Amino acid sequence: MNELGIPTAHAAGRESGRATRAREVADSLTRAIHEHRLGPGMKLSEDEVGEIFGVSRTIVRAALQQLAHDQLVTIEPHRGAFVAQPSVREAREVFEARALLEPRTARSAAERATPEDIAILRRHITQEHAALHAGQDGAALRLSGLFHIEIARIADQATIAEFIGQLVSRSSLVIALYWRRRNALCESHAHDALLKALADRDGALAEDLMKGHLLDLLSSLDLREAPGQRRSLKEALGRA
Amino acid sequence: MNELGIPTAHAAGRESGRATRAREVADSLTRAIHEHRLGPGMKLSEDEVGEIFGVSRTIVRAALQQLAHDQLVTIEPHRGAFVAQPSVREAREVFEARALLEPRTARSAAERATPEDIAILRRHITQEHAALHAGQDGAALRLSGLFHIEIARIADQATIAEFIGQLVSRSSLVIALYWRRRNALCESHAHDALLKALADRDGALAEDLMKGHLLDLLSSLDLREAPGQRRSLKEALGRA
DNA sequence: GATGCGCAGATTGTATACGATCCTGTGTCC
DNA sequence: GGACACAGGATCGTATACAATCTGCGCATC
């Protein structure tokens, strides 16, 4: 079992006697998707997931419904849950939404960032670089997303931060499907520059950098008509 | 039974042989919240809701978890689900998020609106006025929210539209808690002006009007320290 | 040989059962 | 008379059981 490459949840389960284990399962699955261990289109059978995490289908169902709400998985009635495969259109929309939310949020963050905040961000970037050099592409991608979410948190806008979190998650799927270039280094440098602007409390610069960063990201995608490159013909037609 | 004023779901249940009835229950509850038939702080017992809709607790739980994800209800472990009571801070955040999303979306909508779209919006406004004159405050409020959501739909940005939908829902709770003036007429006039800008395809004006409309809404709230005016003393103290 | 039908296996949808936790009211002790 | 302890009831958290639905394979038919 555990062919999905998901860490058996024993360790995570110990972290707290929290009432709902559904959240734990959902978080593990979310993380697996962020790190591209679970790719778009993969089936998430309730029994299988339940066996891996040692919980009953009740819990798994709740977790999957959460992920479905975040649009990370698609639930097809009587067929099951699948890791979502954002269409080209959805991909664009995600980045358009991010372009609407994140630049202004970065400005707010720059105006409010404390030295501790900066230190946390710096640590994020360091870890991201380390993961990248270690060849752990998935981990680097997840950390890269966390950087954006952390900025939203610093801006002290929990509601917007939550939206950005959802968008970052979906971006991870978009990247899995439509990523073109293989070198993710441009990202890291963008984050370096953003960190500097935040440390300097330069809100206007941070806003501009974020806007540019998102445009870079978008332009590094291949959003032509291919709804999925390695998707099977059957699914492609069933979805077209 | 049915002391919650919720339409017994028999009719709604017939509408389609859809697989998940959880969605129906969630929609009914959402609508009840929008229309202020369910007020902030009300308890939503699983058994009670299940009995009203004629479904088991399994379904009710799924529905409540959905609403919790939309932050319309708060689930307190081992205590139950309650209609959310947004704090003053959350109230501000909701409107700040709307201020970030809706003006630009209104501009897009103005640039894309077809005559049919305009007709739909006009019908919305008409219904809103009718409900208002009939003294159906709740229905008017819900229609007012639908107006905003419809604009997002016209802008052809499903992702942003969903976010706006969530924010409008939460706004309904905010209004229930913090509304000051009794005359909601200003709203309607704002919508009239917006409709005209959209019909004229004047994107810049629509953006400005939307921004002003949201500011008006915000300023019509009483966001001082009062976490809730007509809350029962017990809950008020238990929450303070 | 290709196509349509039907049954078996597997998977999901929903309900119910049982254990755990929390609230409430009563009784006792200080 | 007031505060604490405890028991009863109610409600939630999770697992399991059963029913509905879908998928895939084999067979009959054209």
Side-chain angles (χ1 to χ4, degrees), chain A residues 63-102:
Chain A
L64 290 176
Q65 282 171 337
Q66 267 188 262
L67 295 208
H69 197 113
D70 290 336
Q71 306 203 238
L72 290 185
V73 315
T74 306
I75 294 180
E76 301 182 27
H78 292 290
R79 298 223 32 247
F82 302 83
V83 178
Q85 307 184 65
S87 65
V88 170
R89 180 211 173 84
E90 286 171 316
R92 281 191 205 285
E93 285 190 354
V94 165
F95 277 92
E96 280 168 26
R98 291 185 66 169
L100 224 51
L101 290 173
E102 294 202 57

Side-chain angles (χ1 to χ4, degrees), chain A residues 124-147:
Chain A
H124 272 263
I125 290 187
T126 305
Q127 289 181 355
E128 189 183 336
H129 283 194
L132 212 54
H133 289 157
Q136 299 170 335
D137 250 36
L141 182 63
R142 189 179 67 88
L143 289 164
S144 161
L146 284 181
F147 183 83

Side-chain angles (χ1 to χ4, degrees), chain B residues 48-238:
Chain B
E48 199 172 356
V49 176
E51 201 173 344
I52 290 170
F53 287 98
V55 296
S56 90
R57 280 179 50 220
T58 306
I59 308 296
V60 176
R61 277 183 76 77
L64 290 177
Q65 282 171 340
Q66 268 189 261
L67 295 207
H69 197 113
D70 290 335
Q71 306 204 236
L72 290 184
V73 315
T74 305
I75 294 180
E76 301 182 25
H78 292 290
R79 298 220 34 247
F82 303 83
V83 179
Q85 306 184 69
S87 66
V88 171
R89 179 209 173 84
E90 286 171 318
R92 283 191 204 283
E93 284 191 354
V94 165
F95 277 91
E96 282 170 23
R98 291 185 67 170
L100 224 50
L101 290 174
E102 295 202 56
R104 290 275 280 277
T105 302
R107 176 194 284 261
S108 299
E111 291 162 358
R112 307 180 48 94
T114 68
E116 297 84 51
D117 292 331
I118 301 298
I120 291 174
L121 285 177
R122 193 177 317 263
R123 208 171 322 137
H124 270 263
I125 290 186
T126 305
Q127 288 182 356
E128 189 182 335
H129 284 194
L132 213 54
H133 290 156
Q136 299 171 335
D137 249 35
L141 182 63
R142 189 179 67 87
L143 288 163
S144 161
L146 284 181
F147 184 82
H148 287 252
I149 294 171
E150 188 65 18
I151 287 178
R153 191 197 58 74
I154 292 171
D156 202 34
Q157 288 280 353
T159 300
I160 293 174
E162 193 171 326
F163 286 154
I164 291 178
Q166 286 182 38
L167 292 170
V168 167
S169 286
R170 296 176 68 182
S171 297
S172 179
L173 285 175
V174 168
I175 288 170
L177 281 173
Y178 303 110
W179 187 256
R180 195 183 350 164
R181 307 189 216 140
R182 229 34 235 161
N183 58 335
L185 297 186
C186 54
E187 266 216 73
S188 306
H189 287 120
H191 285 188
D192 285 335
L194 254 169
L195 175 62
K196 184 164 187 325
L198 290 167
D200 293 346
R201 291 193 129 73
D202 189 339
L205 180 60
E207 182 172 346
D208 275 352
L209 285 173
M210 181 62 87
K211 196 180 299 186
H213 176 37
L214 289 172
L215 284 177
D216 275 354
L217 262 172
L218 182 58
S219 74
S220 76
L221 301 176
D222 184 6
L223 291 182
R224 289 165 311 188
E225 261 320 301
Q229 48 257 53
R230 65 159 174 276
R231 202 85 359 257
S232 80
L233 186 59
K234 184 181 64 179
E235 281 179 332
L237 296 180

